[in-house]
Amino acid sequence: QSKQSGRNRVTVYAPDSTVVFRYQPAAGESVEHCAVVGDFNGWDPRADPMNPQEGGHFWAKVGLIPGTYEYKFVLNGDKWINDPTAGESISDGYWGQNSILHVKG
């Protein structure tokens, strides 16, 4: 769209599809902050913070284009874990696992 409009332009793109991520801490686990990180946001824990909800769980809605993504949750800024509810995972190369997400178009 920017190329068609002329030179020196920037166009913002918002994906049509969104994904809702959810995390429920285990009983007795103290989680104050949670973020979803993955190859869709450069593994940046500040990019997609999850919203705390009553009952102690967290959620975030993220716009993603169709594709396959690897992701994790970051708890309290320093504990990186895979999604315990994800049906599929792959080695992260550091003795851990990344969760796999398939977004269909």
Side-chain angles (χ1 to χ4, degrees), residues 83-102:
D83 182 348
T85 64
E88 192 176 351
S89 64
I90 188 170
S91 172
D92 65 5
Y94 299 99
W95 303 282
Q97 295 288 309
N98 288 338
S99 302
I100 301 292
L101 171 67
H102 300 283

Side-chain angles (χ1 to χ4, degrees), residues 41-100:
N41 64 13
W43 298 94
D44 181 357
R46 298 166 300 194
D48 292 301
M50 298 177 76
N51 302 301
Q53 301 296 298
E54 285 187 36
H57 67 278
F58 296 83
W59 73 274
K61 185 190 289 189
V62 179
L64 295 173
I65 61 172
T68 299
Y69 302 93
E70 294 182 29
Y71 72 99
K72 286 188 177 195
F73 295 131
V74 179
L75 310 179
N76 298 328
D78 63 356
K79 183 178 180 184
W80 294 57
I81 65 166
N82 66 322
D83 182 348
T85 64
E88 192 176 351
S89 64
I90 188 170
S91 172
D92 65 5
Y94 299 99
W95 303 282
Q97 295 288 309
N98 288 338
S99 302
I100 301 292

